[in-house]
Amino acid sequence: MQRAAIALAGISVEHVLRWGWAAAGPSNAVWDLEGSRAISMRQVQLVRDAGVLSELPIHLSSLAIVTAWIGDFAGAAALIAESDSVAAATGSRIAPYALLRLLALQGREAEAFAPIAGAIEQGQPHAQWAAAVLYNGLARYDEAAASARQAAEKTFDPWLSIWALPELVEAAARAGDAGLARDALARLAATTQPSGTDFALGIEARCRALLSDGTTADGLYREAIDRLGRTRLRPELARAHLLYGEWLRREGRRVDAREQLRTAYDMLVVIGMEAFAERARRELIATGERARKRGVETRGQLTPQEEQIARLARDGLTNPEIGARLFLSARTVEWHLRKMFTKLGISSRRELHAALAQLGRDGQPA
């Protein structure tokens, strides 16, 4: 019945299973993350409806990467937890690309270093990209440049090599290697200019600003903030504010720098990007402002599994339906729900939507 429904939609189940992993490629090629997200969500639903659970982890992982990129770390963690659960139950094997991406953006070196280093040793291509993001957040630019350079050279994985270029521009510029940064920018512009999306041109403007001076740099930073502000890419927007604030401080414009750095710091803390948030805090202190270190919001202290159960319950699934999806008994699901209700301060499923929205769990600021 489910396969018939998919066929009626003009989509072959066999095509989805064979080529579905590449469906988001065209969107990635033109820097259309919203398109990639929509396709990934559709692929997850199609594979789930077809009942081919062994193929589900790879699609959940792809969706988790995009979800992390828009700053919904709790949602990404929930998708990763479900992917791991299904993979364990079906005996599937999948590289931890989504986990590496999430750990890099969160920027907790103690948690991220071992998984990323282990993945690099195993030759997993996404690991160098993750390392570059992590090291840029930690302001260890020489290491970030080395990792980004290796990721950008992996042309057999075109999207990865492209996505690593902004990290390489930032790291090389900060490390004082202007030649390497300009080469990376030229490669980046060859992909962003034809795309014309706010994502593409916002990232390009941010990178060009790093290699510019005076009013040109100022205008490019403003363009980056304006363009990225029209997307859902909160982490990239926060980083644009951070880079602009750092540049303003070095230009001696302390008052203007504080405005940008406060915006960056507040956004980064709310998103959960701890390394970049600490970088912003240090810059604020350098402007003469007292910036008390704030902990990243705990968002109700839900575990990734609890997060996934809460989302499914919010969407109207029954306890047996949730249990079947996550390989849990209905009684275990009920036990988790009672714990979550206590943590969130609610008493019924009807309150889940408001509780999760209040905590910013749908990729939007709380």
Side-chain angles (χ1 to χ4, degrees):
M1 195 70 161
Q2 292 167 332
R3 285 174 177 258
I6 295 174
L8 286 173
I11 302 165
S12 163
V13 175
E14 286 69 27
H15 285 168
V16 170
L17 298 180
R18 179 175 296 181
W19 304 111
W21 59 271
S27 293
N28 294 335
V30 296
W31 293 81
D32 178 13
L33 205 68
E34 281 300 314
S36 180
R37 179 172 179 268
I39 291 170
S40 296
M41 292 174 67
R42 173 176 167 276
Q43 296 298 97
V44 166
Q45 191 61 51
L46 288 175
V47 173
R48 202 193 296 282
D49 288 346
V52 190
L53 294 181
S54 62
E55 299 294 323
L56 188 56
I58 190 171
H59 297 289
L60 288 170
S61 179
S62 296
L63 181 56
I65 290 174
V66 179
T67 303
W69 211 334
I70 65 174
D72 183 3
F73 291 176
L79 290 166
I80 292 167
E82 183 180 0
S83 176
D84 290 345
S85 177
V86 174
T90 60
S92 305
R93 292 178 60 85
I94 182 170
Y97 296 154
L99 177 61
L100 298 179
R101 177 65 172 160
L102 178 60
L103 291 172
L105 288 169
Q106 288 175 323
R108 302 168 190 160
E109 185 181 9
E111 297 177 21
F113 179 77
I116 291 175
I120 290 174
E121 289 181 3
Q122 295 171 16
Q124 295 178 6
H126 280 246
Q128 294 288 3
W129 179 34
V133 175
L134 176 66
Y135 289 135
N136 268 333
L138 295 169
R140 287 158 54 177
Y141 300 116
D142 288 328
E143 293 167 273
S147 296
R149 190 170 193 171
Q150 291 189 54
E153 290 171 354
K154 298 183 183 299
T155 53
F156 65 89
D157 191 336
W159 323 133
L160 174 62
S161 62
I162 291 171
W163 293 338
L165 291 172
E167 304 301 331
L168 181 54
V169 173
E170 179 173 338
R174 285 287 189 258
D177 191 341
L180 177 59
R182 290 194 183 94
D183 289 344
L185 176 59
R187 287 181 57 193
L188 176 68
T191 70
T192 54
Q193 284 293 315
S195 301
T197 64
D198 281 321
F199 177 22
L201 298 180
I203 292 293
E204 182 188 335
R206 193 180 75 188
C207 290
R208 286 193 182 281
L210 284 162
L211 296 171
S212 302
D213 299 306
T215 57
T216 299
D218 192 280
L220 286 168
Y221 280 122
R222 290 179 179 275
E223 179 186 349
I225 289 169
D226 180 58
R227 289 189 179 278
L228 293 171
R230 295 199 290 263
T231 74
R232 297 182 62 186
L233 293 155
R234 293 187 299 139
E236 301 296 347
L237 174 60
R239 290 180 65 177
H241 282 290
L242 171 59
L243 287 170
Y244 189 24
E246 289 175 336
W247 179 80
L248 288 168
R249 185 182 73 79
R250 286 159 178 74
E251 291 290 299
R253 296 165 57 181
R254 290 194 171 193
V255 174
D256 294 334
R258 286 171 191 158
E259 178 183 354
Q260 296 298 324
L261 292 170
R262 277 196 298 266
T263 299
Y265 182 57
D266 290 343
M267 290 183 67
L268 293 163
V269 168
V270 170
I271 295 169
M273 299 174 68
E274 297 185 23
F276 282 100
E278 178 60 17
R279 187 172 133 187
R281 190 182 75 89
R282 290 196 302 266
E283 287 288 330
L284 269 173
I285 292 172
T287 68
E289 179 167 306
R290 296 180 62 184
R292 182 172 58 86
K293 188 173 183 178
R294 301 205 310 265
V296 174
E297 294 180 9
T298 60
R299 300 187 183 279
Q301 297 289 346
L302 298 186
T303 67
Q305 187 178 61
E306 289 172 341
E307 182 83 28
Q308 183 70 1
I309 292 172
R311 286 170 174 263
L312 295 173
R314 175 202 62 187
D315 293 341
L317 275 69
T318 65
N319 288 358
E321 289 170 337
I322 295 172
R325 182 171 295 187
L326 300 181
F327 302 97
L328 302 171
S329 70
R331 182 172 296 180
T332 299
V333 172
E334 177 63 29
W335 179 75
H336 280 300
L337 282 171
R338 286 200 299 268
K339 284 180 59 182
M340 285 185 285
F341 289 169
T342 300
K343 290 180 177 182
L344 296 173
I346 61 177
S347 59
S348 72
R349 291 170 180 254
R350 292 191 300 272
E351 299 173 85
L352 275 173
H353 193 282
L356 295 179
Q358 184 178 2
L359 291 169
R361 297 187 183 284
D362 292 313
Q364 300 298 327

